[in-house]
């Protein structure tokens, strides 16, 4: 069976735990090496990863490219607008062709149905590099960052502030798999996907929806936010106004535990969802989080190729 990584649940909690261990072990083992030098075992030697982008990216693009190099393979980075996909070639035919030319495909796109269709027609692993619905690769890096900062996942109290978006959906999915709790501070009308919440609750996570930002963050071990306007969304003044009370600033962070960690997938909109004082402050782990995209992608790729 071809292993696709469209959602965290495609791997499941046990595999996710193994991937996190693998990411941390490999990161530790190559400390100080030049970033483009392959790991000694070159575990995906000769493999080609096609990276297809229908949306902008800095971290996902660079981290997958560096990840596959460190595993001994190479990447092809394709801007979809310069490919025939951008001129109307079908997702199915693109899947068939890329499967003959590459060993795995990552797609960043808008409609989640496209990544599902790609996986349906591909005969090589397909990885979800962000859709409007979810961003599972990001959350693997986030969980790695929390573990590195001494936060055991079961029972962890995570506060999310702001928009109910794709990153939150994957965070909620992870909560169900890894048994931590999420308090979602979100204004009415901007809630995240109800299906993800129901499944996480079914998995034993406590997921609370708080209209009061202070209630969401009080006593939290981790505080997470993301842009209020995601890629592809219109810049709406009404939405920015509704989000304003959920800005992660010093006053809000003061309500979290003293050793709480702040995460943001980036890019940040400083002065909107987070202040400079928080993102540049002592509790921010955002640069570790960004670096960990490399180490997390490596473990995702190794899982997809059956090595984890
Ligand atoms: N966090 C993240 O996915 O960043 P990019 O959009 O730069 O890839
Ligand atoms: N929610 C953001 C995440 C960017 C990495 C977006 O979709 O634009």
């Amino acid at each position: 069976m071809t292993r696709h990584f469209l959602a965290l649940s495609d791997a499941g909690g046990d595999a996710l735990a193994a991937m996190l261990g693998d990411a941390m072990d490999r990161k530790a083992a190559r400390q100080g090496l030049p970033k483009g030098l392959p790991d000694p075992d070159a575990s995906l030697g000769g493999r080609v990863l096609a990276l297809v982008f229908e949306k902008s990216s800095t971290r996902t693009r660079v981290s997958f490219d560096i990840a596959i190099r460190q595993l001994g393979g190479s990447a092809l980075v394709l801007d979809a607008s310069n490919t025939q996909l951008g001129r109307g070639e079908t997702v199915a035919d693109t899947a068939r062709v890329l499967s003959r030319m590459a060993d795995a495909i990552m797609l960043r796109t808008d409609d989640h149905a496209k990544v599902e269709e790609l996986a349906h027609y591909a005969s090589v692993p397909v990885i979800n590099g962000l859709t409007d619905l979810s961003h599972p690769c990001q959350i693997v890096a986030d969980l790695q960052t929390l573990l590195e900062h001494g936060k055991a996942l079961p029972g962890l109290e995570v506060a999310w502030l702001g928009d109910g978006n794709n990153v939150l959906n994957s965070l909620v999915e992870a909560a169900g798999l890894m048994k931590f709790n999420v308090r979602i501070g979100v204004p009415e009308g901007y809630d995240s996907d109800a299906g993800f919440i129901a499944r996480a609750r079914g998995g034993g996570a406590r997921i609370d929806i708080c209209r009061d930002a202070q209630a969401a963050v009080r006593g939290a071990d981790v505080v997470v936010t993301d842009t209020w306007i995601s890629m592809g969304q219109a810049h709406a003044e009404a939405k920015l106004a509704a989000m304003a009370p959920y800005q992660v600033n010093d006053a809000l962070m003061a309500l979290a535990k003293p050793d709480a960690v702040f995460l943001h997938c980036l890019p940040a909109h400083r002065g909107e969802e987070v202040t400079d004082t928080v993102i540049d402050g002592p509790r921010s782990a955002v640069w570790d989080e960004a670096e960990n995209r490399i180490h997390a992608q490596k473990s995702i790729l190794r899982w997809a190729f059956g090595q984890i």
Side-chain angles (χ1 to χ4, degrees):
M1 272 293 287
T2 306
R3 283 187 174 180
H4 302 300
F5 189 76
L6 307 190
L8 296 165
S9 56
D10 289 341
D14 290 346
L16 185 53
M19 287 156 67
L20 292 167
D22 184 70
M24 290 190 287
D25 289 348
R26 282 188 171 261
K27 178 180 178 180
R30 60 169 296 121
Q31 282 303 310
L33 289 183
K35 296 182 179 66
L37 198 71
D39 294 340
D41 64 346
S43 78
L44 293 181
R47 310 283 183 148
V48 175
L49 170 64
L51 301 168
V52 184
F53 288 93
E54 289 197 311
K55 285 180 168 181
S56 303
S57 171
T58 299
R59 280 143 289 266
T60 303
R61 175 184 170 140
V62 176
S63 61
F64 266 117
D65 192 335
I66 301 302
I68 190 74
R69 288 188 212 198
Q70 291 188 0
L71 293 170
S74 58
L76 283 171
V77 184
L78 303 171
D79 174 356
S81 64
N82 295 329
T83 68
Q84 300 292 8
L85 186 62
R87 292 183 58 246
E89 186 169 14
T90 65
V91 170
D93 288 353
T94 303
R96 292 177 177 115
V97 171
L98 290 181
S99 294
R100 298 290 185 100
M101 296 184 173
D103 298 299
I105 309 166
M106 186 235 69
L107 176 64
R108 167 169 287 196
T109 188
D110 42 20
D111 185 356
H112 191 78
K114 282 194 208 169
V115 79
E116 289 182 332
E117 191 180 355
L118 190 77
H120 182 76
Y121 290 101
S123 56
V124 299
V126 169
I127 296 169
N128 171 5
L130 178 148
T131 67
D132 290 347
L133 184 69
S134 60
H135 196 4
C137 296
Q138 178 67 51
I139 299 304
V140 182
D142 289 13
L143 299 184
Q144 180 186 344
T145 307
L146 293 178
L147 293 174
E148 286 177 355
H149 283 258
K151 308 289 180 198
L153 300 179
L156 206 63
E157 294 292 333
V158 178
W160 172 278
L161 276 300
D163 193 23
N165 67 13
N166 45 5
V167 176
L168 175 59
N169 286 336
S170 292
L171 179 68
V172 166
E173 184 180 29
L177 296 173
M178 306 311 278
K179 318 296 175 204
F180 59 86
N181 305 313
V182 186
R183 276 177 268 153
I184 305 172
V186 58
E188 206 145 9
Y190 300 97
D191 286 324
S192 58
D193 186 272
F196 279 91
I197 293 176
R199 287 189 293 277
R201 286 176 175 156
R206 206 193 67 247
I207 311 291
D208 297 323
I209 296 167
C210 310
R211 300 301 176 207
D212 175 3
Q214 298 193 350
V217 91
R218 195 166 285 123
D221 298 295
V222 183
V223 179
V224 195
T225 190
D226 184 18
T227 182
W228 291 339
I229 312 284
S230 284
M231 290 182 277
Q233 294 180 345
H235 196 88
E237 290 305 324
K239 185 173 186 183
L240 295 179
M243 293 290 161
Y246 301 83
Q247 181 192 66
V248 182
N249 50 34
D250 288 332
L252 218 50
M253 279 303 285
L255 300 173
K257 285 196 182 141
D259 64 348
V261 169
F262 171 74
L263 296 181
H264 189 312
C265 65
L266 306 175
H269 300 75
R270 290 163 176 262
E272 290 189 8
E273 74 273 6
V274 62
T275 58
D276 287 338
T277 52
V278 171
I279 197 168
D280 296 328
R283 296 196 279 179
S284 171
V286 301
W287 314 121
D288 293 336
E289 183 184 11
E291 179 195 330
N292 283 339
R293 296 296 306 279
I294 295 176
H295 309 293
Q297 315 296 35
K298 288 167 74 175
S299 68
I300 292 165
L301 288 165
R302 277 166 47 73
W303 175 82
F305 282 100
Q307 295 184 349
I308 293 175

